[in-house]
Amino acid sequence: MTRPTKIGLMVVGGIVSVGVVFSAWSRILDRQSTLAEIQRLRDDLYRARVAADRCRNSLQTSEASLRNLGLALDSMRSRVDSFEALDRRGVPANRYPEYLDLFDSYNDSVGVWEDRERRLRAAETACRETIEAHNAISDSLQTALSDAGIEAG
């Protein structure tokens, strides 16, 4: 083999070696980038799950409180009705101040119940958005794991 051929082969071998090293390095960087993205998605999913759980717990507490207020309102309404049923002509004059206090309290409480119910519906909407965001992150993580050839456990 002539000297120029040897030099040519060495140059080609060097170029191929650099190409192989570059390709391997590129694959390593891609893999690290993918793993970093998977870890970021896992962290995001954890935070989203905590937020969704808090939201769900808050809703359960608010719903129980609203149910209890509804029961108290039902009881108050029954007491108002019992005053009104004492006499077909209306509430007796000697019981009217007591009736009026109860009636006003009932009406005020209905306003409170309506306000709480409105806030609960708004909270449910916000929670639904939180849960949908959690689900979107979960789907993204599953896709990233699948694309990386990693089995989700």
Side-chain angles (χ1 to χ4, degrees):
M1 209 178 288
T2 66
R3 184 176 166 124
T5 305
K6 286 182 183 179
I7 292 174
L9 287 175
M10 289 174 66
V11 168
V12 169
I15 291 172
V16 169
S17 295
V18 168
V20 168
V21 168
F22 178 77
S23 176
W25 184 253
S26 177
R27 290 180 68 200
I28 289 169
L29 290 178
D30 284 346
R31 182 72 175 177
Q32 286 177 340
S33 175
T34 299
L35 293 176
E37 175 67 8
I38 288 170
Q39 187 58 48
R40 185 192 64 77
L41 286 168
R42 284 180 174 155
D43 293 343
D44 289 350
L45 184 62
Y46 173 78
R47 284 189 293 278
R49 183 174 295 126
V50 168
D53 288 346
R54 284 182 183 158
C55 204
R56 190 176 13 261
N57 290 338
S58 177
L59 278 180
Q60 289 172 346
T61 300
S62 295
E63 287 170 346
S65 176
L66 190 62
R67 275 193 304 274
N68 289 338
L69 181 57
L71 293 173
L73 278 172
D74 290 345
S75 175
M76 289 174 80
R77 182 67 216 179
S78 294
R79 289 176 54 209
V80 167
D81 290 345
S82 70
F83 272 105
E84 293 171 350
L86 288 174
D87 191 320
R88 64 182 175 88
R89 294 172 292 169
V91 177
N94 65 335
R95 305 285 311 267
Y96 197 76
E98 183 183 356
Y99 164 78
L100 197 53
D101 286 344
L102 180 61
F103 187 79
D104 288 343
S105 180
Y106 170 77
N107 281 339
D108 292 344
S109 296
V110 167
V112 169
W113 185 91
E114 288 172 345
D115 183 52
R116 286 187 186 176
E117 193 270 341
R118 205 173 11 263
R119 284 185 289 160
L120 178 60
R121 298 299 157 237
E124 285 176 336
T125 299
C127 278
R128 189 173 310 110
E129 291 169 4
T130 300
I131 291 168
E132 287 171 359
H134 168 274
N135 292 344
I137 294 168
S138 180
D139 291 345
S140 295
L141 177 58
Q142 293 303 318
T143 300
L145 290 170
S146 177
D147 290 349
I150 300 172
E151 234 182 89

